[in-house]
Amino acid sequence: RLYIWDYVNNYANTFGPFPDFGVLQKNMQIFYEHGVKGVYEEGNYYMSTCNTEMGELRAYMLSKLMQDPYLDYDAVMNEFLEGYYGAGWKNIREYIARMTESAAKGHLSCFAAMEDSLYFSDEETAQCDELWEKAKAECTVKYDTVRIEFDPRSYVFRIDFYVKDIVGGNESVYVDLAGRTKLIVYGE
């Protein structure tokens, strides 16, 4: 019997992109074709306390691929993105396509520095930032309350977004003094 332990997260930089969406299906097909009896996909095992890059999408796609490695990958991903991100989903899909294209220029490792995993020029980075801004502008979720607190011990701002009458309808974003996002917590 053959069992696989596969890493689908960058543990050197868990908050950064790990653009492995271009190989997930091919990997699962290879496992299936070689008679693998079990697959453990180690990704963001602490997703309940913090979200890393595309953790929900990655978990969804892996669970679907374990059921059918030959599924229509793009259709399943698009269905998830539209349901999860709403009107701005096509911008997120374009972002994923660009990250996947970048990753194809090299080799991803689960302990690689970001500069060894992504091959973006400053212009390409700005284009990806613009895709996220477009997605946010098209977002149909309206938050009822926004609260900002500063923790002087850790020098981090906590920004809470709330939606009334929805279980888990809030999001907390932790940002350092330079404006860099350090942690995102969903649905507490």
Side-chain angles (χ1 to χ4, degrees):
R1 293 180 197 234
L2 180 60
Y3 296 90
I4 302 289
W5 186 320
D6 188 25
Y7 292 97
V8 290
N9 194 27
N10 182 348
Y11 289 103
N13 193 335
T14 57
F15 298 114
F18 191 64
D20 63 346
F21 289 106
V23 298
L24 294 179
Q25 184 170 35
K26 185 65 179 165
N27 288 351
M28 205 61 71
Q29 289 171 349
I30 290 170
F31 300 159
Y32 177 80
E33 291 165 6
H34 287 86
V36 170
K37 298 298 179 194
V39 178
Y40 176 72
E41 296 286 357
E42 184 176 330
N44 182 3
Y45 56 83
Y46 46 86
M47 197 161 70
S48 65
T49 57
C50 73
N51 182 23
T52 62
E53 182 263 349
M54 302 283 176
E56 292 88 352
L57 172 62
R58 186 171 287 104
Y60 182 80
M61 294 305 295
L62 288 168
S63 70
K64 291 292 191 180
L65 287 167
M66 286 181 192
Q67 296 170 42
D68 178 6
Y70 299 96
L71 56 74
D72 184 339
Y73 189 81
D74 289 327
V76 172
M77 180 182 283
N78 291 346
E79 178 183 45
F80 177 90
L81 292 173
E82 186 173 8
Y84 192 82
Y85 290 102
W89 77 271
K90 289 181 182 178
N91 296 295
I92 305 303
R93 186 65 167 105
E94 176 64 23
Y95 166 80
I96 292 169
R98 289 182 186 211
M99 297 299 285
T100 300
E101 185 179 300
S102 171
K105 297 175 187 175
H107 177 75
L108 290 176
S109 167
C110 62
F111 294 105
M114 292 310 305
E115 60 270 14
D116 297 332
S117 297
L118 296 174
Y119 306 93
F120 273 174
S121 67
D122 290 343
E123 180 181 339
E124 291 168 315
T125 300
Q127 290 169 351
C128 285
D129 289 344
E130 185 176 320
L131 288 169
W132 279 101
E133 291 303 318
K134 286 180 183 177
K136 284 194 290 187
E138 295 173 15
C139 181
T140 56
V141 175
K142 301 298 181 212
Y143 293 102
D144 300 310
T145 307
V146 177
R147 183 181 71 206
I148 301 173
E149 295 178 358
F150 179 71
D151 181 352
R153 294 167 298 184
S154 61
Y155 295 98
V156 171
F157 288 94
R158 175 180 172 164
I159 308 163
D160 294 315
F161 303 90
Y162 297 95
V163 178
K164 286 193 307 193
D165 302 323
I166 296 178
V167 175
N170 68 303
E171 177 178 330
S172 297
V173 179
Y174 296 83
V175 180
D176 69 12
L177 293 175
R180 292 181 297 253
T181 302
K182 293 302 196 181
L183 176 68
I184 300 174
V185 180
Y186 294 101
E188 288 188 1

